[in-house]
Amino acid sequence: MSKSQNPLELLAQNPIELSLVSIKSKLMIVVTKLIREKGWTQAQAAKEIGVSQPRISNLMNGQISKFSIDMLLEILGQLGYLLDVSFDPTNDYQPIKMEVKKTAV
């Protein structure tokens, strides 16, 4: 039996699914961190973001299967941030770069 290098490989069946799970998990970490930094309760976060408190509970407890990338990006936007994705085909090592940025609005 071979060992996985990435624990997320246990949640994915193929490389595409692994990429999606990886992106979702990273977005969940960022969103959870932003909510904690604001010092909000789950009820406050739910009200500010516009979702139910159980939804925030799912998020804070890392229930990754209950969230789509779209939903996580929407929550990120409600918190005043956006995901900026850039592509540099000349960069063989890291052609796609993603950054979370504070919105100007």
Side-chain angles (χ1 to χ4, degrees):
M1 181 190 309
S2 67
K3 288 186 175 181
S4 296
Q5 295 293 332
N6 183 340
L8 294 176
E9 289 178 14
L10 300 172
L11 301 172
Q13 301 292 322
N14 59 56
I16 295 168
E17 193 175 340
L18 177 60
S19 291
L20 295 174
V21 169
S22 177
I23 291 168
K24 281 182 12 177
S25 67
K26 289 173 185 175
L27 285 170
M28 286 183 80
I29 290 167
V30 169
V31 168
T32 300
K33 183 178 182 206
L34 291 171
I35 291 170
R36 286 191 176 126
E37 285 177 354
K38 291 181 179 289
W40 289 341
T41 64
Q42 288 185 10
Q44 288 173 307
K47 183 178 178 186
E48 294 292 328
I49 294 168
V51 298
S52 68
Q53 183 276 323
R55 196 81 169 121
I56 296 298
S57 179
N58 291 337
L59 176 71
M60 302 305 277
N61 290 313
Q63 295 184 13
I64 195 167
S65 65
K66 296 195 177 205
F67 291 89
S68 66
I69 291 172
D70 291 350
M71 181 64 180
L72 292 166
L73 289 173
E74 189 174 319
I75 292 171
L76 190 65
Q78 292 293 338
L79 291 169
Y81 291 84
L82 59 84
L83 183 67
D84 184 41
V85 180
S86 58
F87 177 65
D88 179 1
T90 63
N91 185 338
D92 290 335
Y93 177 70
Q94 188 178 8
I96 298 173
K97 185 175 179 183
M98 295 189 291
E99 295 180 274
V100 174
K101 295 183 177 181
K102 184 100 172 129
T103 58
V105 184

